[in-house]
Amino acid sequence: MGYFDFVMSEVHGLRIKDLLDEKKAGRKVIGSYCVFVPEEIALAGNATMVGLCAGADFAMEEVEKILPRNTCALNKSTFGFKLGKVCPYLEASDMIVGENTCDGKKKAYESLGPLVSYIYVMDIPQMKSGQGRSLLKTEYQRFKQAVEKLTGVTIDAARLKQAIETVNNKLKAIHRLSKLRQAEPAAISGLDALLTNQVFFYDNPQRFTDSVNKICDELEKRVQKNDGVFPKGTPRVLMSGCPMAVPNWKLPWIVETSGAVLVGEESCVGERGTRNLVNASGKTVDELMDAIVDRYFQVDCAIFTPNPDRLSHVEEMVKAYKADGVIHYGLQFCAPYLMESIQVAKALEDKKIPTLRIETD
Ligand code: BJ8
């Protein structure tokens, strides 16, 4: 984990220098708050995409002058990082992409707009219907045009294919890591795995892929030797719910210092965001764009109604990771996930899978 600890220690240092060097060389930086913003399109337009921080409280007194107090912590944090001037990624971004996912985010972007140099808002469907898919495709085409305008690069099939392969390689490395987390005893702590999933959004894609594969090489040896970071028999917990953005490690830390181990995250900083690859076999821009839509349309965020796939995925993950129980992590005032948490808990408990719903900031 040395590399990831280093990345985190330099998250406001060397990585920012990287980005500024890229900008000097003419590359644009696109900041995003949601896994629905396709990195494949940004990379194909020769832009770098970074996840924007929303995992800690800053400048809350200032934030509450702009947003109602009972707004979810993630949205408030977005504003806190801006108003407290603590996010160099936000300041380095040439375009910030907002998305119409939950009501909180969609309205918050209206207020964020005047505070930043360029906010681009993407509409996101709310139902997994034919119309929903068409809307996502139209919006991804519009985003492609906006990226082309920003960077001056025309996205052709070759560029798109290359970008898809870069992101797929990143995803495949994460899949390899997830598979290794299924071992008993656990070969890696949930905190370390979460950090890796968080760095996914910040690091240079190629460097990230290589680093995850290196961890996996080491973990494979540990698994062969039955070498765990927690003793065999340690209760295994699956986390499900809202994303945990950097530097939010609160709940995993509590779990793992209380005699249990986190073996998986059903989260956008986790398997919900990384589960699917894009089919890179298309020959035309349209075929490849369709394949990108196919990947993202499967993301089962709680903003969708109904959202039965998420329930099935939680159950599948419990089996795959041999979890003894599930903790549903819901941010206060997050209507979509808190409402779904009741359905998730009921479905799991009907199957005798112990579930704890935690609502927190
Ligand atoms: S695809 S989960 S990253 S929207 S916690 S701001 S939902 S009120 S974060 Fe998300 Fe994209 Fe969905 Fe994933 Fe709103 Fe809830 Fe706040 Fe949330």
Side-chain angles (χ1 to χ4, degrees):
M1 286 303 293
Y3 173 73
F4 290 92
D5 292 339
F6 173 73
V7 170
M8 207 56 234
S9 70
E10 283 296 334
V11 76
H12 282 186
L14 284 181
R15 182 59 184 137
I16 293 300
K17 183 174 182 307
D18 263 3
L19 289 184
L20 294 180
D21 288 346
E22 287 181 16
K23 278 163 73 83
K24 261 191 218 142
R27 210 173 152 102
K28 300 291 183 188
V29 175
I30 299 179
S32 119
Y33 290 106
C34 176
V35 298
F36 271 110
V37 183
E39 187 179 11
E40 293 86 344
I41 295 177
L43 287 178
N46 197 34
T48 297
M49 203 164 95
V50 288
L52 294 172
C53 308
D57 285 353
F58 283 107
M60 278 302 137
E61 280 173 25
E62 292 306 308
V63 173
E64 288 177 3
K65 290 179 191 161
I66 297 181
L67 297 179
R69 181 167 287 185
N70 57 356
T71 304
C72 88
L74 220 134
N75 269 321
K76 280 167 124 175
S77 174
T78 298
F79 280 70
F81 273 92
K82 174 66 202 167
L83 298 171
K85 301 191 178 72
V86 280
C87 181
Y89 294 89
L90 193 65
E91 304 307 324
S93 296
D94 299 290
M95 174 201 255
I96 292 163
V97 186
E99 12 60 50
N100 288 344
T101 42
C102 65
D103 283 354
K105 276 185 166 184
K106 143 167 97 190
K107 296 307 286 181
Y109 294 131
E110 291 176 13
S111 306
L112 186 65
L115 304 177
V116 296
S117 55
Y118 175 22
I119 192 155
Y120 173 93
V121 178
M122 181 184 278
D123 203 7
I124 301 288
Q126 311 272 300
M127 292 180 88
K128 298 273 173 93
S129 59
Q131 288 103 317
R133 193 187 178 287
S134 306
L135 171 63
L136 195 62
K137 184 165 181 197
T138 308
E139 283 299 295
Y140 281 2
Q141 280 163 335
R142 194 170 67 85
F143 178 56
K144 174 177 157 293
Q145 287 163 7
V147 172
E148 288 175 327
K149 192 167 167 212
L150 179 78
T151 61
V153 171
T154 304
I155 299 178
D156 59 16
R159 296 193 73 93
L160 205 48
K161 206 183 204 34
Q162 169 80 57
I164 289 171
E165 277 162 6
T166 302
V167 178
N168 275 355
N169 287 339
K170 208 159 94 145
L171 296 167
K172 281 180 200 161
I174 285 289
H175 294 175
R176 201 177 151 209
L177 176 64
S178 304
K179 190 86 195 150
L180 287 160
R181 292 179 73 191
Q182 296 177 4
E184 155 73 350
I188 182 169
S189 71
L191 262 175
D192 280 347
L194 175 64
L195 178 62
T196 311
N197 277 316
Q198 290 171 330
V199 170
F200 181 95
F201 295 96
Y202 294 88
D203 202 6
N204 168 283
Q206 187 57 53
R207 198 167 51 197
F208 175 83
T209 304
D210 294 345
S211 308
V212 177
N213 278 321
K214 266 191 208 150
I215 303 183
C216 293
D217 293 343
E218 192 183 325
L219 291 181
E220 268 165 12
K221 288 186 199 133
R222 280 197 194 179
V223 170
Q224 272 167 11
K225 288 192 283 181
N226 252 338
D227 190 5
V229 284
F230 292 89
K232 203 170 175 30
T234 298
R236 300 167 65 88
V237 176
L238 182 81
M239 191 77 71
S240 171
C242 291
M244 292 176 182
V246 165
N248 180 356
W249 302 297
K250 179 173 72 171
L251 214 57
W253 185 82
I254 294 172
V255 170
E256 295 198 332
T257 51
S258 306
V261 55
L262 260 181
V263 289
E265 298 79 29
E266 190 282 312
S267 157
C268 283
V269 182
E271 206 154 312
R272 189 186 313 126
T274 54
R275 181 176 289 123
N276 302 301
L277 299 177
V278 175
N279 179 347
S281 67
K283 303 256 180 295
T284 63
V285 169
D286 196 52
E287 284 168 359
L288 293 166
M289 287 293 286
D290 255 323
I292 292 175
V293 174
D294 284 342
R295 172 187 164 202
Y296 288 94
F297 200 50
Q298 293 177 70
V299 173
D300 43 13
C301 173
I303 57 143
F304 282 93
T305 181
N307 193 27
D309 290 353
R310 179 165 170 241
L311 257 179
S312 324
H313 279 136
V314 180
E315 291 177 14
E316 280 164 21
M317 286 182 74
V318 168
K319 276 201 199 106
Y321 292 87
K322 302 177 205 79
D324 298 299
V326 175
I327 294 181
H328 192 285
Y329 165 77
L331 285 174
Q332 253 179 337
F333 311 119
C334 169
Y337 281 91
L338 291 180
M339 289 211 181
E340 256 187 37
S341 72
I342 296 172
Q343 300 170 18
V344 170
K346 177 155 187 344
L348 293 174
E349 282 176 352
D350 284 351
K351 299 211 160 138
K352 309 272 181 274
I353 300 163
T355 305
L356 177 67
R357 287 193 289 128
I358 298 223
E359 187 179 332
T360 183
D361 60 9

